[in-house]
Amino acid sequence: MAAMRFTATLCVLLHIVVICNAGVTSSYVRKSEPSIDMPVGSFPPPTGNNAPEQVHITQGDHVGRGVIISWVTPLLKHPNVVTYWEAEGKHKRRAHSTITSYRYYNYSSGYIHHATIRNLKYDTRYFYELGTHHVTRRFSFTTPPKVGPDVPYTFGVMGDLGQTYDSNQTLEHYVSNPKGQAVLFVGDLSYADNYPFHDNVKWDTWGRFVEKSTANQPWIWTAGNHELDFAPEIEEYEPFKPYLHRYHVPYKASQSTSPLWYSIKRASTYIIVLSSYSAYGKYTPQYEWLSQEFPKVNRSETPWLIVLLHSPWYNSNNYHFMEGESMRVMFESWFVENKVDLVFSGHVHSYERSDRVSNVKYNITDGLSAPVKDPSAPVYITIGDGGNIEGLANSFTQPQPSYSAYREASFGHAILEIKNRTHAYYTWHRNQDSEPVAADSTWFYNRFWYPMDETSSSTNMV
Ligand SMILES: [Fe+2]
């Protein structure tokens, strides 16, 4: 009896410092196997001389009426034209690309094209065609509905993808899901930097690998540490050089001064993308931009406020433990004051979903440093489980901290279905299951319009 009382007291004490096990550590154990890159030969260029390749699209303005179409022509600068038209119409328009290229150590890129097409109709399917005469490639995309508070919209969420056989499983699972209309990508794309001299051919093969999705729906890009490609030992001093040449985003439309942080509105969401690997201390450009960004968010227009950043703030995995802490200290109070709904991160190669918690009371004099439940705080989701060459992060801290609602060391992706201004349904799909199975699922309630407790809505199916 005395022992039971002691245990109960200990649990209360532990709960106060928030380390009592309250969430779910999945009992699913993935077979531990090395993650192996698919060979370069798995990704041949498309047939035809100088055929456009590595096609990808992203949002091209602040509201969803613009699209940036990007592609590579390996041998010649031209053709540098995209032809596009409404699926239901006949009138064809043309847009010219800007062309860039770069050298990285002993690698020379092809000609990288970026064409921004604007003033498209909302909620409309368009075809577009690249190339001319003998070699043309045709794709299509659908613009989002007009920005508005009750517009349903469904995002896929992926991160840390790489180009292994596991990456392929993740992508194939996502592509097989008919719901996803755009992808929130939380950084670490090709993992070219894991090869000698950051073999940039791996950037090309990655572009071909993901084309089946990126050519047909926008991927919203976030920069991760594997985009840095900072390698002074081979005299490559310019951070983010390959990434910034290859992946353009509409940063100027949100008054940002850098493509590494920006925002967009899409349907009923306001999405803020931050850079974990750019300066964010007080007075820095990113800090100043974000301070001016939050007041621009009108929840009557875009109820759902979502942030993408690479290095997670709430991570109970031993891999990359506490790496996001300095950015959390800088920005978490803003996230709580502005009632951010969801924060998606990558970096850690496993999956974790938090409860709504904050840790904003701490200062250098008061010693209060434990996360507490907070209905104004975001849910933090770590989804760096795309399946890259570095393998799984399969070592969680013990015991599971109470802020951690669900965690599992498996590869997978998520689907976020925004239903209206109050409700969104969220599912996480591990690669070992068939796509309709959700290993983790929950309703999210909007923090501005319906700030109710969601914890009873979780339906973990482990
Ligand atoms: Fe990372």
Side-chain angles (χ1 to χ4, degrees), residues 160 188 225-226 277 310 347:
D160 301 63
D188 284 359
N225 53 304
H226 287 278
Y277 305 100
H310 187 64
H347 201 39

Side-chain angles (χ1 to χ4, degrees), residues 216-231:
N216 298 304
Q217 59 176 252
W219 284 37
I220 310 304
W221 301 109
T222 311
N225 53 304
H226 287 278
E227 277 66 73
L228 273 161
D229 283 310
F230 174 67

Side-chain angles (χ1 to χ4, degrees), residues 46-259:
T47 52
N49 184 52
N50 199 43
E53 60 170 87
Q54 304 172 49
V55 182
H56 52 92
I57 64 172
T58 194
Q59 186 160 318
D61 66 0
H62 205 232
V63 296
R65 291 185 65 197
V67 174
I68 301 173
I69 299 174
S70 305
W71 70 97
V72 174
T73 49
L75 304 173
L76 303 166
K77 279 189 174 182
H78 298 96
N80 62 336
V81 172
V82 52
T83 306
Y84 62 99
W85 64 96
E86 283 180 50
E88 304 295 322
K90 291 201 172 98
H91 182 59
K92 294 192 175 182
R93 295 174 186 276
R94 285 154 62 91
H96 287 82
S97 64
T98 57
I99 304 170
T100 185
S101 62
Y102 70 93
R103 292 184 59 80
Y104 191 96
Y105 189 59
N106 59 356
Y107 167 91
S108 296
S109 77
Y111 297 101
I112 303 167
H113 300 255
H114 302 284
T116 303
I117 56 179
R118 300 178 190 278
N119 301 318
L120 301 171
K121 290 183 185 169
Y122 283 115
D123 205 10
T124 301
R125 187 167 185 227
Y126 285 84
F127 287 108
Y128 69 98
E129 203 165 76
L130 304 170
T132 50
H133 307 304
H134 303 299
V135 185
T136 56
R137 300 186 70 206
R138 184 181 293 187
F139 307 92
S140 72
F141 61 82
T142 301
T143 52
K146 188 173 190 300
V147 171
D150 287 303
V151 183
Y153 201 76
T154 299
F155 293 98
V157 192
M158 280 183 270
D160 301 63
L161 189 55
Q163 46 196 306
T164 72
Y165 292 97
D166 292 309
S167 323
N168 193 41
Q169 273 200 340
T170 305
L171 186 65
E172 289 295 333
H173 272 72
Y174 173 65
V175 170
S176 75
N177 190 320
K179 292 180 181 172
Q181 296 170 281
V183 168
L184 306 177
F185 192 82
V186 293
D188 284 359
L189 285 64
S190 74
Y191 286 77
D193 60 346
N194 276 8
Y195 284 80
F197 314 119
H198 297 223
D199 183 1
N200 272 227
V201 169
K202 287 286 182 181
W203 277 105
D204 291 318
T205 53
W206 195 82
R208 294 178 199 142
F209 163 49
V210 295
E211 188 190 76
K212 67 176 71 172
S213 179
T214 58
N216 298 304
Q217 59 176 252
W219 284 37
I220 310 304
W221 301 109
T222 311
N225 53 304
H226 287 278
E227 277 66 73
L228 273 161
D229 283 310
F230 174 67
E233 69 278 13
I234 51 173
E235 298 186 2
E236 288 297 345
Y237 301 109
E238 186 186 331
F240 301 107
K241 189 206 263 185
Y243 173 71
L244 291 177
H245 276 89
R246 291 168 181 274
Y247 294 90
H248 281 195
V249 298
Y251 66 100
K252 289 178 184 166
S254 55
Q255 290 75 52
S256 170
T257 52
S258 167

Side-chain angles (χ1 to χ4, degrees), residues 339-403:
K339 296 182 166 44
V340 171
D341 291 292
L342 300 166
V343 177
F344 290 103
S345 302
H347 201 39
V348 179
H349 303 161
S350 63
Y351 173 73
E352 185 163 18
R353 171 173 58 84
S354 80
D355 284 330
R356 295 196 180 276
V357 291
S358 69
N359 187 2
V360 293
K361 295 278 190 278
Y362 175 77
N363 61 48
I364 201 71
T365 56
D366 67 14
L368 300 170
S369 58
V372 293
K373 300 256 183 196
D374 187 337
S376 295
V379 166
Y380 295 89
I381 292 169
T382 304
I383 190 158
D385 55 2
N388 64 73
I389 194 169
E390 294 177 343
L392 269 178
N394 53 2
S395 169
F396 286 110
T397 61
Q398 300 296 344
Q400 184 171 9
S402 67
Y403 66 74

